[in-house]
Amino acid sequence: MYPIRRNRRLRTSEAIRSLVRETIISPNDFLVPLFVVEGTGVKEEIASMPNYYRYSLDLLEQEVKELWSLGLKSVLLFVKVPDALKDNKGTEALNSEGLMQRAIKTVKNACPGMLVMTDVALDPYSSFGHDGIVQNGKIVNDDTAEVLAEMSLSHAQAGADFVAPSDMMDGRILTIREALEDEGFTNTGIMSYSAKYASAFYGPFRDALDSAPVDMVDVPKDKKTYQMDPANRDEAIRETEMDIDEGADIVMVKPGIAYLDIVREIRNAVEVPVAVYQVSGEYAMIKAAAEKGWLDHDAVMLEQITAIKRAGAHIIASYFAKDVVRLIAG
Ligand code: PBG
């Protein structure tokens, strides 16, 4: 009780503040998303994600070496697929010589210790821009899960350490786990996007991969029949518990900042590592406000990353990973 207890005593200097700080950010917290394109010598800036790039395989090699030198030891790979290779079933996703499969090998050759996770969903490969197969105006569940299992197997065969299904089909974790077990990939992990919301914060990402749902009759314009309603909380726990029962090694909440209540609930409810994805729109907002001189870029970036970890994230997928690590290294 005041004045016996004066809370400000623990805030009087940076030394005491750092001594009692509850949340410390380090390079170990991060998973670095990387966008890969065909070609050589390509490093293209993504228009709606300033200072974030798509890399061709040769430059991807340099990028992962740089990440490694900064202490960043895990990457999450996404590929931008040429339109000519897209179809409804995402056939190209299963090509053992496809861009993703080559990207996995490139990272492993450049940096054998780097943990490689791969995005598993049909959208970058889908002529309709959906995470699953479209039939009669609907996204079909079980047939999609079968393709995702084949895709996961193909990534595991190419050397992926973890597959990360981001599609939100029901039962896909079990289908993928069984496929991996059947083929002897018992140590290939699954990081499930388990509470993934139908969020408007993914816009810049869909620009990065040219993967937005197309505007055509009989093609749903949004992902609301599979991604979660932002209004729901109990459902996030249910989704996450089911994914763990089906074999998810790591679960994820996505997006980050607007969903930190969900992060804390899930962290309290489950006993597997919890990842949070600070998504493209969250990145773009900070960049845009900082460009206008309205926010202090580094301070807001670090505050948001700290808030995500404080809320309960064991792992943070973030486009800011490199910037944060450089900042905290001083
Ligand atoms: C694809 C996928 C998306 C993101 C990660 N994997 C987009 C979507 O679901 O439409 C979003 C990542 C971001 O916005 O940074 N299934």
Side-chain angles (χ1 to χ4, degrees), residues 2 8 26 33 43 97 108 110 157 167 175 182 242 255 260 297 309 315 321:
Y2 175 87
R8 291 181 56 191
S26 91
K43 180 183 176 183
E97 289 304 308
K108 282 290 182 189
Q157 281 158 352
D167 56 290
T175 311
D182 285 350
M242 283 180 72
L260 295 187
H297 177 276
K309 186 166 180 185
I315 300 165

Side-chain angles (χ1 to χ4, degrees), residues 46-309:
I46 298 151
S48 48
M49 299 178 71
N51 202 33
Y52 220 79
Y53 301 88
R54 301 180 195 97
Y55 296 97
S56 55
L57 294 176
D58 52 332
L59 299 189
L60 175 70
E61 190 174 319
Q62 288 177 20
E63 180 63 17
V64 294
K65 285 183 175 159
E66 190 185 337
L67 295 175
W68 187 259
S69 74
L70 291 167
L72 291 161
K73 300 187 292 288
S74 303
V75 295
L76 176 58
L77 301 179
F78 296 93
V79 291
K80 183 171 188 288
V81 179
D83 278 346
L85 296 177
K86 296 184 183 184
D87 63 23
N88 187 21
K89 291 195 162 156
T91 311
E92 175 61 15
L94 309 181
N95 179 356
S96 61
E97 289 304 308
L99 184 56
M100 176 62 91
Q101 288 78 357
R102 282 177 285 135
I104 296 165
K105 290 176 193 156
T106 300
V107 176
K108 282 290 182 189
N109 282 335
C111 255
M114 186 71 85
L115 184 90
V116 177
M117 297 200 184
T118 57
D119 187 67
V120 171
L122 296 192
D123 51 328
Y125 299 94
S126 160
S127 39
F128 299 132
H130 274 289
D131 293 26
I133 301 166
V134 182
Q135 251 166 38
N136 305 322
K138 299 213 160 47
I139 313 304
V140 296
N141 193 89
D142 297 8
D143 289 350
T144 297
E146 293 297 332
V147 178
L148 297 175
E150 286 180 60
M151 190 173 170
S152 300
L153 207 49
S154 173
H155 294 180
Q157 281 158 352
D161 299 294
F162 268 72
V163 292
S166 66
D167 56 290
M168 292 296 282
M169 298 300 123
D170 291 327
R172 90 282 203 214
I173 301 301
L174 182 62
T175 311
I176 291 170
R177 186 69 264 158
E178 284 177 347
L180 291 170
E181 295 295 313
D182 285 350
E183 295 299 320
F185 290 99
T186 52
N187 284 330
T188 305
I190 303 178
M191 178 175 76
S192 170
Y193 288 63
S194 22
K196 175 170 177 178
Y197 287 87
S199 168
F201 285 103
Y202 308 149
F205 172 97
R206 294 177 190 172
D207 295 341
L209 296 188
D210 186 23
S211 61
V214 298
D215 190 7
M216 277 173 67
V217 282
D218 266 353
V219 177
K221 308 263 175 299
D222 58 48
K223 300 188 176 182
K224 291 179 185 170
T225 69
Y226 45 106
Q227 298 179 350
M228 282 180 54
D229 184 340
N232 294 355
R233 190 160 51 103
D234 296 341
E235 189 185 357
I237 313 289
R238 197 156 69 232
E239 280 280 4
T240 305
E241 285 175 343
M242 283 180 72
D243 283 0
I244 295 169
D245 287 346
E246 290 176 30
D249 301 284
I250 300 173
V251 294
M252 186 196 277
V253 178
K254 178 183 172 191
I257 284 293
Y259 295 82
L260 295 187
D261 56 329
I262 310 297
V263 174
R264 176 43 64 182
E265 291 241 10
I266 285 177
R267 172 67 190 262
N268 289 346
V270 307
E271 284 166 5
V272 300
V274 177
V276 174
Y277 202 138
Q278 182 192 41
V279 302
S280 57
E282 301 180 67
Y283 176 86
M285 285 198 302
I286 295 177
K287 290 287 173 192
E291 257 171 40
K292 284 190 169 278
W294 292 348
L295 286 178
D296 177 336
H297 177 276
D298 288 354
V300 171
M301 168 181 80
L302 194 58
E303 186 175 331
Q304 293 216 342
I305 292 292
T306 304
I308 290 170
K309 186 166 180 185

